[in-house]
Amino acid sequence: MIDPAEVADRFGALRERLSRIGGDRVRVVAVAKAFGPDAVAAAMGLGIEDVGENFAQELLSKAACLESRGDRGRQPRWHFVGRLQRNKVRKLAGLVHLWQSVDRPDLAAEIARRAPGARVLVQVDIAGLGGRGGCPPESTAQMVEHCGQAGLDVAGLMAVGLPGPAEQVRPGFRLLASQAADLGLAEVSMGMSGDVEVAVEEGATMVRVGTALFGPRPA
Ligand SMILES: *Cc1c(COP(=O)(O)O)cnc(C)c1O
């Protein structure tokens, strides 16, 4: 169960962490995966407008739940941040505000087909781990160009850090920010609960935070 007062306290602590390093203007995307619609409602109650999800089905069911609630069915700006299969794109197309995990041409093409002109971020595999999504850093420019040619609005780049000590990911974050700058892209989405400081120091414009807002994820 989500206690909105606890989420409020955690949000205050997060804002303080960001403030200490000059990150007051960094956008906080509340990642609600594994939590229910009440987590989304709690975040929205604090004025958080951006909510991230990793799984299509979770996003769809939470959106439907909000739709049927009070407050005129108000929705957050949904960010899709997880690995995405092409066959899920159609159902998400009317809901997603920012597709953050675009990492391959066939996915870009499907998003362009179902949501022409959609705003996207290209996900880059800064850790070189393969399995967590993202195109290899040497393909970033090509992927950005490909998305543009498909008619998508490429707003920036996104990356997932490494598990482990936050400092370890600094070079990867630095690389992502420098690639975005080289490509003239404004948005840099990096940093999660454990490494927001390093991410903001390296130029994040958007951090994606789950546990630091909602507490430990239910199994
Ligand atoms: C789960 C997740 C987050 C949030 O992680 P926390 O460590 O809970 O802050 C951010 N981005 C992505 C892509 C995720 O999968």
Side-chain angles (χ1 to χ4, degrees):
M1 271 308 283
I2 286 288
D3 177 353
E6 278 178 24
V7 179
D9 287 348
R10 291 199 197 92
F11 186 45
L14 175 68
R15 295 252 55 125
E16 224 165 85
R17 280 172 71 186
L18 291 172
S19 190
R20 248 178 260 135
I21 49 166
D24 295 289
R25 300 185 58 200
V26 171
R27 185 173 294 280
V28 172
V29 178
V31 177
K33 66 167 176 239
F35 294 100
D38 49 335
V40 178
M44 290 170 76
L46 295 169
I48 296 175
E49 297 173 316
D50 298 272
V51 173
E53 292 288 347
N54 286 58
F55 300 101
Q57 198 47 53
E58 266 195 62
L59 192 159
L60 292 168
S61 70
K62 285 174 214 178
C65 184
L66 292 177
E67 187 68 45
S68 66
R69 282 189 183 189
D71 201 11
R72 286 169 277 124
R74 199 165 73 85
Q75 300 280 330
R77 288 198 292 242
W78 293 107
H79 294 239
F80 199 86
V81 303
R83 302 226 62 188
L84 183 54
Q85 290 171 291
R86 260 188 327 160
N87 63 6
K88 300 293 195 313
V89 168
R90 184 176 57 85
K91 282 191 172 165
L92 293 170
L95 281 166
V96 173
H97 163 78
L98 182 61
W99 306 79
Q100 292 212 12
S101 52
V102 180
D103 62 356
R104 48 191 206 279
D106 67 329
L107 178 59
E110 182 64 5
I111 295 171
R113 187 156 91 97
R114 303 295 185 180
R119 251 170 94 77
V120 303
L121 303 183
V122 167
Q123 184 179 349
V124 182
D125 180 15
I126 54 170
L129 293 179
R132 305 188 70 186
C135 68
E138 58 274 18
S139 309
T140 307
Q142 201 185 348
M143 193 57 214
V144 167
E145 194 187 329
H146 187 95
C147 289
Q149 280 168 357
L152 296 170
D153 174 13
V154 185
L157 304 180
M158 177 274 220
V160 178
L162 289 160
E167 269 310 315
Q168 219 164 285
V169 78
R170 189 181 292 277
F173 284 168
R174 186 167 294 178
L175 173 67
L176 191 76
S178 86
Q179 289 198 324
D182 289 347
L183 295 164
L185 300 171
E187 298 289 351
V188 184
S189 173
M190 58 189 187
M192 313 199 299
S193 294
D195 54 20
V196 285
E197 284 88 355
V198 178
V200 170
E201 283 165 7
E202 295 301 333
T205 60
M206 209 183 283
V207 293
R208 308 177 309 269
V209 177
T211 51
L213 270 182
F214 301 122
R217 269 185 286 280

PDB file of all heavy atoms in Angstrom, residues 193-207:
ATOM      1  N   SER A 193      17.138   6.364  -8.619  1.00  0.00           N
ATOM      2  CA  SER A 193      17.187   6.668  -7.181  1.00  0.00           C
ATOM      3  C   SER A 193      18.606   6.697  -6.611  1.00  0.00           C
ATOM      4  O   SER A 193      18.937   7.541  -5.798  1.00  0.00           O
ATOM      5  CB  SER A 193      16.351   5.645  -6.406  1.00  0.00           C
ATOM      6  OG  SER A 193      14.999   5.795  -6.752  1.00  0.00           O
ATOM      7  N   GLY A 194      19.443   5.756  -7.050  1.00  0.00           N
ATOM      8  CA  GLY A 194      20.767   5.618  -6.450  1.00  0.00           C
ATOM      9  C   GLY A 194      21.821   6.549  -7.006  1.00  0.00           C
ATOM     10  O   GLY A 194      22.893   6.691  -6.402  1.00  0.00           O
ATOM     11  N   ASP A 195      21.549   7.156  -8.139  1.00  0.00           N
ATOM     12  CA  ASP A 195      22.630   7.924  -8.774  1.00  0.00           C
ATOM     13  C   ASP A 195      22.162   9.250  -9.389  1.00  0.00           C
ATOM     14  O   ASP A 195      22.768   9.731 -10.345  1.00  0.00           O
ATOM     15  CB  ASP A 195      23.361   7.058  -9.815  1.00  0.00           C
ATOM     16  CG  ASP A 195      22.421   6.443 -10.855  1.00  0.00           C
ATOM     17  OD1 ASP A 195      21.297   6.959 -11.025  1.00  0.00           O
ATOM     18  OD2 ASP A 195      22.817   5.453 -11.496  1.00  0.00           O
ATOM     19  N   VAL A 196      21.123   9.857  -8.807  1.00  0.00           N
ATOM     20  CA  VAL A 196      20.659  11.141  -9.366  1.00  0.00           C
ATOM     21  C   VAL A 196      21.739  12.226  -9.285  1.00  0.00           C
ATOM     22  O   VAL A 196      21.853  13.056 -10.186  1.00  0.00           O
ATOM     23  CB  VAL A 196      19.364  11.695  -8.704  1.00  0.00           C
ATOM     24  CG1 VAL A 196      18.144  10.946  -9.144  1.00  0.00           C
ATOM     25  CG2 VAL A 196      19.469  11.784  -7.218  1.00  0.00           C
ATOM     26  N   GLU A 197      22.529  12.205  -8.211  1.00  0.00           N
ATOM     27  CA  GLU A 197      23.542  13.266  -8.062  1.00  0.00           C
ATOM     28  C   GLU A 197      24.553  13.207  -9.212  1.00  0.00           C
ATOM     29  O   GLU A 197      24.842  14.224  -9.852  1.00  0.00           O
ATOM     30  CB  GLU A 197      24.276  13.131  -6.721  1.00  0.00           C
ATOM     31  CG  GLU A 197      23.479  13.600  -5.514  1.00  0.00           C
ATOM     32  CD  GLU A 197      22.601  12.502  -4.923  1.00  0.00           C
ATOM     33  OE1 GLU A 197      22.540  11.387  -5.511  1.00  0.00           O
ATOM     34  OE2 GLU A 197      21.970  12.753  -3.884  1.00  0.00           O
ATOM     35  N   VAL A 198      25.085  12.010  -9.445  1.00  0.00           N
ATOM     36  CA  VAL A 198      26.079  11.867 -10.512  1.00  0.00           C
ATOM     37  C   VAL A 198      25.462  12.260 -11.850  1.00  0.00           C
ATOM     38  O   VAL A 198      26.067  12.973 -12.654  1.00  0.00           O
ATOM     39  CB  VAL A 198      26.617  10.415 -10.562  1.00  0.00           C
ATOM     40  CG1 VAL A 198      27.606  10.248 -11.705  1.00  0.00           C
ATOM     41  CG2 VAL A 198      27.285  10.040  -9.252  1.00  0.00           C
ATOM     42  N   ALA A 199      24.222  11.837 -12.067  1.00  0.00           N
ATOM     43  CA  ALA A 199      23.554  12.137 -13.336  1.00  0.00           C
ATOM     44  C   ALA A 199      23.385  13.642 -13.534  1.00  0.00           C
ATOM     45  O   ALA A 199      23.675  14.180 -14.603  1.00  0.00           O
ATOM     46  CB  ALA A 199      22.191  11.435 -13.391  1.00  0.00           C
ATOM     47  N   VAL A 200      22.935  14.324 -12.490  1.00  0.00           N
ATOM     48  CA  VAL A 200      22.702  15.770 -12.613  1.00  0.00           C
ATOM     49  C   VAL A 200      24.033  16.505 -12.775  1.00  0.00           C
ATOM     50  O   VAL A 200      24.155  17.424 -13.583  1.00  0.00           O
ATOM     51  CB  VAL A 200      21.894  16.300 -11.407  1.00  0.00           C
ATOM     52  CG1 VAL A 200      21.846  17.821 -11.397  1.00  0.00           C
ATOM     53  CG2 VAL A 200      20.472  15.726 -11.451  1.00  0.00           C
ATOM     54  N   GLU A 201      25.036  16.074 -12.041  1.00  0.00           N
ATOM     55  CA  GLU A 201      26.368  16.689 -12.204  1.00  0.00           C
ATOM     56  C   GLU A 201      26.866  16.547 -13.634  1.00  0.00           C
ATOM     57  O   GLU A 201      27.565  17.409 -14.144  1.00  0.00           O
ATOM     58  CB  GLU A 201      27.373  16.047 -11.242  1.00  0.00           C
ATOM     59  CG  GLU A 201      27.231  16.531  -9.813  1.00  0.00           C
ATOM     60  CD  GLU A 201      27.966  15.639  -8.804  1.00  0.00           C
ATOM     61  OE1 GLU A 201      28.701  14.715  -9.226  1.00  0.00           O
ATOM     62  OE2 GLU A 201      27.791  15.869  -7.604  1.00  0.00           O
ATOM     63  N   GLU A 202      26.483  15.462 -14.278  1.00  0.00           N
ATOM     64  CA  GLU A 202      26.957  15.213 -15.641  1.00  0.00           C
ATOM     65  C   GLU A 202      26.007  15.759 -16.710  1.00  0.00           C
ATOM     66  O   GLU A 202      26.218  15.541 -17.893  1.00  0.00           O
ATOM     67  CB  GLU A 202      27.214  13.724 -15.862  1.00  0.00           C
ATOM     68  CG  GLU A 202      28.348  13.161 -15.006  1.00  0.00           C
ATOM     69  CD  GLU A 202      29.697  13.859 -15.235  1.00  0.00           C
ATOM     70  OE1 GLU A 202      29.926  14.393 -16.341  1.00  0.00           O
ATOM     71  OE2 GLU A 202      30.520  13.882 -14.297  1.00  0.00           O
ATOM     72  N   GLY A 203      24.922  16.421 -16.275  1.00  0.00           N
ATOM     73  CA  GLY A 203      24.100  17.117 -17.261  1.00  0.00           C
ATOM     74  C   GLY A 203      22.720  16.536 -17.534  1.00  0.00           C
ATOM     75  O   GLY A 203      22.103  16.862 -18.551  1.00  0.00           O
ATOM     76  N   ALA A 204      22.197  15.705 -16.645  1.00  0.00           N
ATOM     77  CA  ALA A 204      20.832  15.198 -16.839  1.00  0.00           C
ATOM     78  C   ALA A 204      19.833  16.359 -16.839  1.00  0.00           C
ATOM     79  O   ALA A 204      19.955  17.289 -16.050  1.00  0.00           O
ATOM     80  CB  ALA A 204      20.468  14.223 -15.721  1.00  0.00           C
ATOM     81  N   THR A 205      18.859  16.291 -17.724  1.00  0.00           N
ATOM     82  CA  THR A 205      17.752  17.245 -17.685  1.00  0.00           C
ATOM     83  C   THR A 205      16.511  16.585 -17.093  1.00  0.00           C
ATOM     84  O   THR A 205      15.526  17.248 -16.788  1.00  0.00           O
ATOM     85  CB  THR A 205      17.401  17.752 -19.098  1.00  0.00           C
ATOM     86  OG1 THR A 205      17.012  16.630 -19.906  1.00  0.00           O
ATOM     87  CG2 THR A 205      18.593  18.453 -19.737  1.00  0.00           C
ATOM     88  N   MET A 206      16.577  15.262 -16.975  1.00  0.00           N
ATOM     89  CA  MET A 206      15.420  14.471 -16.548  1.00  0.00           C
ATOM     90  C   MET A 206      15.968  13.279 -15.765  1.00  0.00           C
ATOM     91  O   MET A 206      16.888  12.623 -16.241  1.00  0.00           O
ATOM     92  CB  MET A 206      14.762  13.942 -17.825  1.00  0.00           C
ATOM     93  CG  MET A 206      13.306  13.704 -17.796  1.00  0.00           C
ATOM     94  SD  MET A 206      12.760  13.005 -19.395  1.00  0.00           S
ATOM     95  CE  MET A 206      12.735  14.405 -20.474  1.00  0.00           C
ATOM     96  N   VAL A 207      15.450  13.048 -14.556  1.00  0.00           N
ATOM     97  CA  VAL A 207      15.834  11.843 -13.823  1.00  0.00           C
ATOM     98  C   VAL A 207      14.590  10.965 -13.671  1.00  0.00           C
ATOM     99  O   VAL A 207      13.470  11.458 -13.661  1.00  0.00           O
ATOM    100  CB  VAL A 207      16.449  12.167 -12.434  1.00  0.00           C
ATOM    101  CG1 VAL A 207      17.788  12.882 -12.594  1.00  0.00           C
ATOM    102  CG2 VAL A 207      15.505  12.996 -11.573  1.00  0.00           C
TER     103      VAL A 207
END
